[in-house]
Coordinates of all heavy atoms in Angstrom, one line a residue:
M672 N 96.2 106.2 91.3 CA 96.2 107.1 92.4 C 97.0 108.3 92.0 O 98.1 108.2 91.4 CB 96.7 106.4 93.7 CG 96.0 105.3 94.2 SD 96.6 104.7 95.7 CE 95.3 105.1 96.8
R673 N 96.5 109.4 92.4 CA 97.3 110.7 92.2 C 96.7 111.8 93.2 O 95.7 111.9 93.6 CB 97.0 111.1 90.9 CG 97.8 112.4 90.4 CD 97.5 112.7 88.9 NE 97.3 114.2 88.9 CZ 96.9 114.8 87.8 NH1 96.6 114.1 86.7 NH2 96.7 116.0 87.8
I674 N 97.7 112.4 93.9 CA 97.4 113.5 94.7 C 97.6 114.8 93.8 O 98.6 115.0 93.2 CB 98.4 113.6 95.9 CG1 98.2 112.4 96.8 CG2 98.1 114.9 96.7 CD1 99.3 112.2 98.0
I675 N 96.6 115.6 93.9 CA 96.7 116.9 93.1 C 96.8 118.1 94.1 O 97.6 118.9 93.7 CB 95.4 117.1 92.4 CG1 95.3 115.9 91.2 CG2 95.3 118.4 91.7 CD1 93.9 116.0 90.5
K676 N 96.2 117.9 95.3 CA 96.3 119.1 96.2 C 95.9 118.7 97.6 O 95.3 117.4 97.8 CB 95.4 120.3 95.8 CG 93.9 120.0 95.7 CD 93.0 121.0 95.2 CE 91.7 120.7 95.1 NZ 90.9 121.7 94.5
F677 N 96.1 119.5 98.5 CA 95.7 119.2 99.9 C 95.6 120.5 100.7 O 96.0 121.4 100.2 CB 96.8 118.2 100.7 CG 98.1 118.7 100.7 CD1 98.5 119.7 101.7 CD2 99.1 118.4 99.8 CE1 99.9 120.1 101.8 CE2 100.3 118.8 99.9 CZ 100.8 119.7 100.9
H678 N 94.7 120.5 101.8 CA 94.4 121.8 102.4 C 94.3 121.3 103.9 O 93.5 120.2 104.1 CB 93.2 122.3 101.9 CG 92.9 123.6 102.6 ND1 93.6 124.8 102.4 CD2 91.9 123.9 103.5 CE1 93.0 125.8 103.2 NE2 92.1 125.1 103.9
P679 N 94.8 122.0 104.9 CA 95.6 123.2 104.7 C 97.2 122.7 104.3 O 97.5 121.6 104.4 CB 95.6 123.8 106.2 CG 95.4 122.5 107.1 CD 94.4 121.6 106.3
E680 N 97.7 123.8 103.9 CA 99.2 123.5 103.6 C 100.1 123.4 105.0 O 101.3 123.1 104.8 CB 99.7 124.5 102.8 CG 98.9 124.6 101.4 CD 99.3 125.9 100.5 OE1 100.1 126.7 100.9 OE2 98.8 125.9 99.4
S681 N 99.5 123.7 106.1 CA 100.2 123.7 107.2 C 99.2 123.1 108.3 O 98.1 123.6 108.5 CB 100.7 125.1 107.6 OG 101.4 125.1 108.9
A682 N 99.7 122.2 109.2 CA 98.8 121.5 110.1 C 99.6 121.0 111.4 O 100.9 121.0 111.4 CB 98.1 120.4 109.5
R683 N 98.8 120.8 112.4 CA 99.4 120.3 113.7 C 99.1 118.8 113.9 O 98.0 118.4 113.2 CB 98.9 121.0 114.8 CG 99.4 122.5 115.0 CD 98.9 123.1 116.3 NE 99.7 124.3 116.6 CZ 99.2 125.6 116.2 NH1 98.1 125.7 115.5 NH2 100.0 126.5 116.5
V684 N 99.8 118.1 114.6 CA 99.4 116.8 114.9 C 97.9 116.6 115.4 O 97.4 117.5 116.2 CB 100.3 116.2 116.1 CG1 99.7 114.9 116.5 CG2 101.7 115.9 115.4
S685 N 97.2 115.7 114.9 CA 95.7 115.4 115.2 C 94.8 116.2 114.4 O 93.6 116.1 114.6 CB 95.4 115.6 116.8 OG 96.2 114.7 117.5
E686 N 95.3 117.2 113.7 CA 94.4 117.8 112.7 C 94.2 117.2 111.5 O 95.0 116.3 111.0 CB 94.9 119.3 112.5 CG 95.0 120.3 113.6 CD 95.5 121.7 113.1 OE1 96.2 121.8 112.0 OE2 95.2 122.7 113.9
E687 N 93.0 117.5 110.8 CA 92.5 116.7 109.7 C 93.1 117.4 108.5 O 92.9 118.6 108.3 CB 91.1 116.6 109.7 CG 90.6 115.7 108.6 CD 89.2 115.3 108.8 OE1 88.3 116.1 108.3 OE2 88.9 114.2 109.3
V688 N 93.7 116.7 107.5 CA 94.1 117.3 106.2 C 93.2 116.8 105.1 O 92.9 115.5 105.1 CB 95.4 117.2 105.9 CG1 95.9 117.5 104.6 CG2 96.4 117.7 107.0
K689 N 92.7 117.6 104.3 CA 91.8 117.2 103.2 C 92.8 117.0 101.9 O 93.4 117.9 101.6 CB 90.8 118.2 102.9 CG 89.8 118.0 101.6 CD 88.8 119.1 101.5 CE 87.9 118.9 100.4 NZ 87.0 120.1 100.2
I690 N 92.6 115.9 101.3 CA 93.6 115.4 100.2 C 92.7 115.2 99.0 O 91.7 114.5 99.0 CB 94.4 114.2 100.5 CG1 95.3 114.5 101.8 CG2 95.3 113.9 99.3 CD1 95.9 113.2 102.5
G691 N 93.0 116.0 98.0 CA 92.2 115.8 96.6 C 93.1 115.3 95.6 O 94.3 115.4 95.4
G692 N 92.4 114.4 94.8 CA 93.2 113.9 93.6 C 92.4 112.9 92.9 O 91.1 113.2 92.7
E693 N 93.0 111.7 92.4 CA 92.2 110.7 91.6 C 92.6 109.4 92.1 O 93.7 109.1 92.6 CB 92.6 110.9 90.1 CG 92.4 112.2 89.5 CD 92.9 112.4 88.2 OE1 93.8 111.5 87.7 OE2 92.7 113.4 87.5
G694 N 91.5 108.5 92.0 CA 91.8 107.2 92.6 C 92.0 106.9 94.0 O 92.7 106.0 94.4
L695 N 91.5 107.9 94.8 CA 91.9 107.8 96.2 C 91.1 106.9 97.1 O 91.3 106.8 98.4 CB 91.9 109.4 96.9 CG 92.8 110.3 96.2 CD1 92.8 111.7 96.8 CD2 94.3 109.8 96.3
S696 N 89.9 106.4 96.6 CA 88.8 105.8 97.4 C 89.5 104.5 98.0 O 89.0 103.9 99.0 CB 87.6 105.6 96.7 OG 87.8 104.7 95.6
G697 N 90.6 103.9 97.4 CA 91.2 102.7 97.9 C 92.3 102.9 98.8 O 93.0 102.0 99.2
T698 N 92.4 104.1 99.4 CA 93.6 104.4 100.4 C 93.5 103.7 101.5 O 92.3 103.7 102.3 CB 93.6 106.0 100.5 OG1 93.8 106.6 99.3 CG2 94.7 106.3 101.5
K699 N 94.5 103.1 102.1 CA 94.5 102.3 103.4 C 95.4 103.0 104.4 O 95.1 102.9 105.5 CB 94.9 100.9 103.1 CG 94.1 100.1 102.2 CD 92.7 100.0 102.7 CE 91.8 99.2 101.6 NZ 90.4 99.3 102.0
I700 N 96.4 103.6 103.9 CA 97.4 104.4 104.7 C 97.7 105.6 104.2 O 97.9 105.8 102.9 CB 98.7 103.4 105.0 CG1 98.3 102.0 105.5 CG2 99.6 104.2 105.9 CD1 99.5 101.2 105.7
V701 N 98.0 106.7 105.1 CA 98.5 107.9 104.6 C 99.8 108.3 105.4 O 99.8 108.1 106.6 CB 97.5 109.1 104.6 CG1 98.0 110.4 104.4 CG2 96.2 108.8 103.8
Y702 N 100.7 108.7 104.7 CA 102.0 109.0 105.2 C 102.2 110.5 105.2 O 102.0 111.1 104.2 CB 103.3 108.4 104.6 CG 103.4 106.9 104.8 CD1 102.8 106.0 104.0 CD2 104.0 106.4 105.8 CE1 102.8 104.6 104.2 CE2 104.2 105.1 106.1 CZ 103.6 104.2 105.2 OH 103.7 102.8 105.3
F703 N 102.6 111.1 106.4 CA 103.0 112.6 106.5 C 104.4 112.6 106.7 O 104.9 112.3 107.8 CB 102.4 113.2 107.6 CG 100.8 113.4 107.3 CD1 99.8 112.5 107.5 CD2 100.3 114.6 106.7 CE1 98.5 112.6 107.3 CE2 99.0 114.8 106.5 CZ 98.2 113.8 106.7
N704 N 105.2 112.6 105.6 CA 106.6 112.4 105.6 C 106.9 111.0 106.0 O 106.5 110.2 105.2 CB 107.5 113.4 106.5 CG 108.9 113.7 106.0 OD1 109.4 113.1 105.1 ND2 109.6 114.4 106.7
N705 N 107.4 110.6 107.1 CA 107.6 109.1 107.4 C 106.7 108.6 108.3 O 106.7 107.3 108.8 CB 109.1 108.9 107.8 CG 110.1 109.1 106.7 OD1 109.8 108.8 105.5 ND2 111.2 109.7 107.0
A706 N 105.7 109.4 108.9 CA 104.7 109.0 110.0 C 103.5 108.5 109.3 O 102.9 109.3 108.5 CB 104.5 109.9 111.0
S707 N 102.9 107.3 109.6 CA 101.8 106.9 108.9 C 100.5 106.9 109.9 O 100.6 107.0 111.1 CB 101.9 105.4 108.5 OG 101.9 104.6 109.7
T708 N 99.3 107.1 109.2 CA 98.0 107.0 109.9 C 97.0 106.2 109.1 O 97.0 106.1 107.9 CB 97.5 108.5 110.0 OG1 96.3 108.3 110.8 CG2 97.2 109.2 108.8
K709 N 96.2 105.5 109.9 CA 95.1 104.7 109.2 C 93.8 105.6 109.6 O 92.6 105.0 109.3 CB 95.1 103.4 109.8 CG 96.3 102.5 109.2 CD 96.1 101.2 109.5 CE 97.3 100.3 108.9 NZ 97.2 98.9 109.3
E710 N 93.9 106.7 110.2 CA 92.7 107.5 110.6 C 92.5 108.2 109.4 O 92.9 109.4 109.2 CB 93.0 108.4 111.7 CG 93.2 107.6 113.1 CD 93.1 108.5 114.2 OE1 92.1 109.3 114.4 OE2 94.1 108.6 115.0
I711 N 91.6 107.6 108.4 CA 91.2 108.1 107.1 C 89.7 108.1 107.0 O 89.2 107.2 107.3 CB 91.9 107.3 106.0 CG1 93.5 107.2 106.2 CG2 91.5 107.8 104.6 CD1 94.2 106.0 105.4
R712 N 89.2 109.1 106.4 CA 87.9 109.1 106.0 C 87.8 109.4 104.5 O 88.3 110.4 104.0 CB 87.1 110.4 106.9 CG 85.6 110.4 106.5 CD 84.9 111.3 107.6 NE 85.7 112.7 107.6 CZ 85.3 113.8 106.9 NH1 84.2 113.5 106.1 NH2 85.9 114.8 107.2
I713 N 87.1 108.6 103.9 CA 87.0 108.4 102.5 C 85.6 109.3 102.1 O 84.6 108.9 102.5 CB 87.0 107.1 101.7 CG1 88.0 106.2 102.2 CG2 86.7 107.1 100.3 CD1 89.4 106.5 101.7
Q714 N 85.8 110.4 101.5 CA 84.6 111.2 101.0 C 84.2 110.8 99.6 O 83.0 110.5 99.4 CB 85.0 112.6 101.1 CG 83.7 113.5 100.7 CD 84.0 115.0 101.0 OE1 84.8 115.4 101.7 NE2 83.4 115.9 100.2
S715 N 85.1 110.5 98.7 CA 84.9 110.0 97.4 C 86.2 109.6 96.8 O 87.1 109.5 97.4 CB 84.3 111.2 96.5 OG 85.3 112.2 96.3
D716 N 86.0 109.2 95.6 CA 87.3 108.7 94.8 C 88.2 109.9 94.7 O 89.5 109.7 94.3 CB 86.8 108.2 93.5 CG 88.0 107.2 92.9 OD1 88.6 106.5 93.6 OD2 88.3 107.5 91.7
H717 N 87.7 111.2 94.7 CA 88.5 112.4 94.6 C 88.9 113.0 95.8 O 89.9 113.9 95.8 CB 87.9 113.3 93.6 CG 87.6 112.7 92.4 ND1 88.5 112.6 91.3 CD2 86.4 112.3 91.8 CE1 87.9 112.0 90.3 NE2 86.6 111.8 90.5
I718 N 88.3 112.8 97.0 CA 88.7 113.4 98.4 C 88.8 112.5 99.3 O 87.8 111.7 99.6 CB 87.6 114.6 98.5 CG1 87.5 115.5 97.4 CG2 87.8 115.2 99.9 CD1 86.3 116.5 97.5
I719 N 89.8 112.6 100.2 CA 89.9 111.8 101.4 C 90.3 112.8 102.5 O 90.8 113.9 102.2 CB 90.9 110.6 101.3 CG1 92.3 111.1 101.1 CG2 90.3 109.6 100.4 CD1 93.3 110.0 101.1
H720 N 90.2 112.5 103.9 CA 90.5 113.3 105.0 C 91.4 112.3 105.7 O 91.0 111.2 106.0 CB 89.4 113.7 105.7 CG 88.4 114.5 105.0 ND1 88.4 115.9 104.8 CD2 87.4 114.1 104.0 CE1 87.4 116.3 104.1 NE2 86.8 115.2 103.5
A721 N 92.5 112.9 106.2 CA 93.4 112.1 107.1 C 94.0 112.9 108.3 O 94.2 114.2 108.2 CB 94.6 111.5 106.3
K722 N 94.1 112.3 109.5 CA 94.5 113.0 110.6 C 96.1 113.0 110.7 O 96.6 111.8 110.4 CB 94.0 112.4 111.9 CG 92.6 112.9 112.2 CD 92.2 112.6 113.7 CE 90.9 113.2 113.9 NZ 90.5 112.9 115.3
V723 N 96.7 114.1 110.9 CA 98.1 114.1 111.1 C 98.5 113.2 112.3 O 98.1 113.5 113.4 CB 98.5 115.5 111.2 CG1 100.1 115.6 111.3 CG2 98.1 116.4 109.9
P724 N 99.4 112.2 112.0 CA 99.7 111.3 113.2 C 100.9 111.9 114.0 O 101.7 112.8 113.6 CB 100.2 110.1 112.5 CG 100.8 110.7 111.2 CD 99.9 111.8 110.8
H725 N 101.0 111.4 115.2 CA 102.2 111.7 116.1 C 103.4 111.3 115.3 O 103.4 110.2 114.7 CB 102.1 111.0 117.5 CG 101.1 111.7 118.3 ND1 101.1 112.8 119.0 CD2 99.8 111.1 118.6 CE1 100.1 113.1 119.7 NE2 99.2 112.1 119.4
G726 N 104.5 112.1 115.5 CA 105.9 111.7 114.8 C 105.8 112.3 113.4 O 106.9 112.1 112.8
A727 N 104.8 113.0 113.0 CA 104.7 113.7 111.7 C 105.7 114.7 111.6 O 105.9 115.4 112.6 CB 103.2 114.0 111.1
S728 N 106.3 115.0 110.4 CA 107.2 116.1 110.3 C 107.0 116.7 108.9 O 106.4 116.1 107.9 CB 108.7 115.6 110.5 OG 109.1 114.7 109.4
T729 N 107.5 117.9 108.8 CA 107.4 118.6 107.5 C 107.9 117.8 106.3 O 108.9 117.2 106.4 CB 108.2 120.0 107.5 OG1 107.5 120.8 108.4 CG2 108.1 120.6 106.1
G730 N 107.1 117.7 105.3 CA 107.5 116.9 104.2 C 106.3 116.6 103.1 O 105.3 117.3 103.3
K731 N 106.5 115.6 102.4 CA 105.4 115.2 101.3 C 104.5 114.3 102.0 O 104.7 113.6 102.9 CB 106.1 114.7 100.0 CG 106.9 115.6 99.4 CD 107.4 115.0 98.1 CE 108.3 116.2 97.4 NZ 108.5 115.8 96.0
I732 N 103.2 114.2 101.3 CA 102.2 113.4 101.7 C 102.2 112.2 100.7 O 102.2 112.4 99.6 CB 100.7 114.1 101.7 CG1 100.6 115.2 102.8 CG2 99.7 113.1 101.9 CD1 99.5 115.9 102.7
R733 N 102.1 111.0 101.2 CA 102.1 109.7 100.5 C 100.8 108.9 100.8 O 100.5 108.7 101.9 CB 103.2 108.9 100.5 CG 103.2 107.6 99.6 CD 104.7 107.1 99.5 NE 105.3 106.8 100.8 CZ 105.2 105.5 101.2 NH1 104.8 104.5 100.4 NH2 105.8 105.2 102.4
V734 N 100.0 108.5 99.8 CA 98.8 107.7 100.0 C 99.2 106.3 99.4 O 99.7 106.2 98.4 CB 97.6 108.3 99.4 CG1 97.2 109.5 100.0 CG2 97.8 108.6 98.0
V735 N 98.8 105.3 100.3 CA 99.0 103.9 99.7 C 97.7 103.1 99.8 O 96.9 103.2 100.7 CB 100.1 103.2 100.7 CG1 100.3 101.8 100.2 CG2 101.4 103.9 100.7
G736 N 97.5 102.3 98.6 CA 96.2 101.6 98.7 C 96.4 100.2 99.2 O 97.3 100.0 100.1
V737 N 95.8 99.2 98.7 CA 95.9 97.9 99.1 C 97.2 97.2 98.9 O 97.7 96.5 99.9 CB 94.7 96.9 98.5 CG1 94.8 95.7 98.8 CG2 93.3 97.5 98.7
T738 N 97.9 97.6 97.8 CA 99.3 97.1 97.5 C 100.2 98.2 97.5 O 99.8 99.3 97.3 CB 99.3 96.3 96.2 OG1 99.2 97.2 95.1 CG2 98.2 95.2 96.2
E739 N 101.4 97.9 97.7 CA 102.4 99.0 97.7 C 102.6 99.7 96.2 O 103.0 100.8 96.1 CB 103.9 98.4 98.1 CG 104.1 98.3 99.6 CD 104.0 99.7 100.3 OE1 104.7 100.6 99.8 OE2 103.5 99.7 101.5
Q740 N 102.1 98.9 95.2 CA 102.1 99.4 93.9 C 101.1 100.4 93.6 O 101.2 101.4 92.8 CB 102.0 98.3 93.0 CG 103.0 97.3 92.7 CD 103.2 96.3 94.0 OE1 102.2 96.0 94.5 NE2 104.4 95.9 94.2
E741 N 100.0 100.5 94.5 CA 99.1 101.6 94.5 C 99.4 102.6 95.4 O 99.0 102.6 96.7 CB 97.6 101.0 94.9 CG 97.2 99.8 94.0 CD 95.8 99.3 94.6 OE1 95.9 98.6 95.5 OE2 94.7 99.7 93.9
Q742 N 100.2 103.6 95.0 CA 100.4 104.8 95.8 C 100.7 106.0 95.0 O 100.9 105.9 93.8 CB 101.7 104.4 96.7 CG 103.0 104.1 95.9 CD 104.1 103.9 96.8 OE1 104.6 104.8 97.5 NE2 104.5 102.6 96.9
A743 N 100.7 107.1 95.7 CA 101.0 108.5 95.2 C 101.6 109.2 96.1 O 101.3 109.1 97.3 CB 99.7 109.1 94.6
T744 N 102.4 110.2 95.7 CA 103.1 111.2 96.5 C 102.8 112.5 96.1 O 102.8 112.8 94.7 CB 104.6 110.9 96.6 OG1 104.8 109.6 96.9 CG2 105.3 111.8 97.5
S745 N 102.6 113.5 97.0 CA 102.3 114.8 96.7 C 103.5 115.6 96.1 O 104.6 115.2 96.5 CB 101.8 115.6 97.8 OG 102.8 115.8 98.9
E746 N 103.4 116.4 95.2 CA 104.5 117.3 94.8 C 104.8 118.4 95.8 O 106.0 118.7 96.0 CB 104.2 117.9 93.4 CG 104.2 116.9 92.2 CD 104.1 117.5 90.8 OE1 104.4 118.7 90.8 OE2 103.6 116.8 90.0
A747 N 103.8 118.8 96.3 CA 104.0 120.0 97.4 C 104.2 119.4 98.8 O 104.1 118.2 99.2 CB 102.7 120.8 97.5
I748 N 104.9 120.2 99.6 CA 105.3 119.9 101.0 C 104.2 120.4 101.9 O 103.8 121.6 101.8 CB 106.6 120.3 101.3 CG1 107.7 119.4 100.4 CG2 107.0 120.2 102.8 CD1 109.0 119.9 100.6
I749 N 103.9 119.6 103.0 CA 103.0 120.1 104.1 C 103.9 120.4 105.2 O 104.9 119.8 105.6 CB 102.0 119.1 104.5 CG1 101.0 119.7 105.6 CG2 102.5 117.8 105.0 CD1 99.8 118.9 105.8
T750 N 103.6 121.6 105.9 CA 104.4 121.9 107.1 C 103.7 121.5 108.3 O 102.5 121.8 108.4 CB 104.6 123.6 107.0 OG1 105.2 124.1 105.9 CG2 105.3 124.0 108.3
I751 N 104.4 120.8 109.2 CA 103.8 120.2 110.3 C 104.3 121.3 111.4 O 105.4 121.5 111.7 CB 104.2 118.9 110.7 CG1 103.8 118.0 109.5 CG2 103.6 118.5 112.1 CD1 102.4 117.9 109.2
R752 N 103.3 122.0 112.1 CA 103.6 122.9 113.1 C 103.6 122.3 114.5 O 102.7 121.3 114.7 CB 102.6 124.1 113.0 CG 102.6 124.7 111.7 CD 101.6 126.1 111.8 NE 100.4 125.8 112.5 CZ 99.4 125.5 112.0 NH1 99.1 125.3 110.6 NH2 98.1 125.3 112.7
D753 N 104.2 122.8 115.5 CA 104.3 122.4 116.8 C 102.9 123.0 117.6 O 102.3 123.9 117.2 CB 105.4 122.9 117.8 CG 106.7 122.2 117.1 OD1 106.6 121.2 116.7 OD2 107.8 122.9 117.3

C-alpha cells in the first residue's frame, strides 16, 4: 500500500476526499489524523474515496488494510476546516 496524493488538500467533516496511490483496493479503514472512517468507496487499486469523519483534525491520512501490517501514511498533510 502507498498513498501518493489526495484531493482536495483541505476539506470539511463529511466531505469526500479522493486518495490516489498503489495497492489501495484492500483498504478497510481510513484515518484523518486520529479519527477513523469506514465510509470508503473503492474505485480501483489506485483510487479510493473516503468521507472525513467527525473528530478529524489537520494531519496526515493513513489507510489500513485487512491487517495492521497493511498500511500507508501520506507524506502531505490535509487541512480540516470548520
Side-chain angles (χ1 to χ4, degrees):
M672 295 184 115
R673 186 174 136 194
I674 297 173
I675 297 172
K676 60 184 175 181
F677 56 83
H678 181 78
E680 296 174 358
S681 176
R683 289 188 166 93
V684 169
S685 297
E686 288 185 342
E687 191 172 83
V688 175
K689 180 179 179 180
I690 302 167
E693 298 171 348
L695 299 176
S696 62
T698 301
K699 301 295 180 199
I700 301 173
V701 176
Y702 289 89
F703 289 85
N704 206 2
N705 292 321
S707 66
T708 183
K709 291 186 177 179
E710 290 190 62
I711 302 163
R712 184 168 51 92
I713 308 291
Q714 183 173 329
S715 70
D716 199 43
H717 301 286
I718 299 171
I719 63 172
H720 304 263
K722 281 197 176 180
V723 177
H725 290 280
S728 59
T729 296
K731 295 186 177 191
I732 295 174
R733 181 168 57 107
V734 295
V735 179
V737 177
T738 68
E739 281 292 319
Q740 289 75 29
E741 296 177 289
Q742 62 177 289
T744 303
S745 65
E746 290 186 24
I748 290 175
I749 186 167
T750 301
I751 305 300
R752 302 186 319 268
D753 291 331

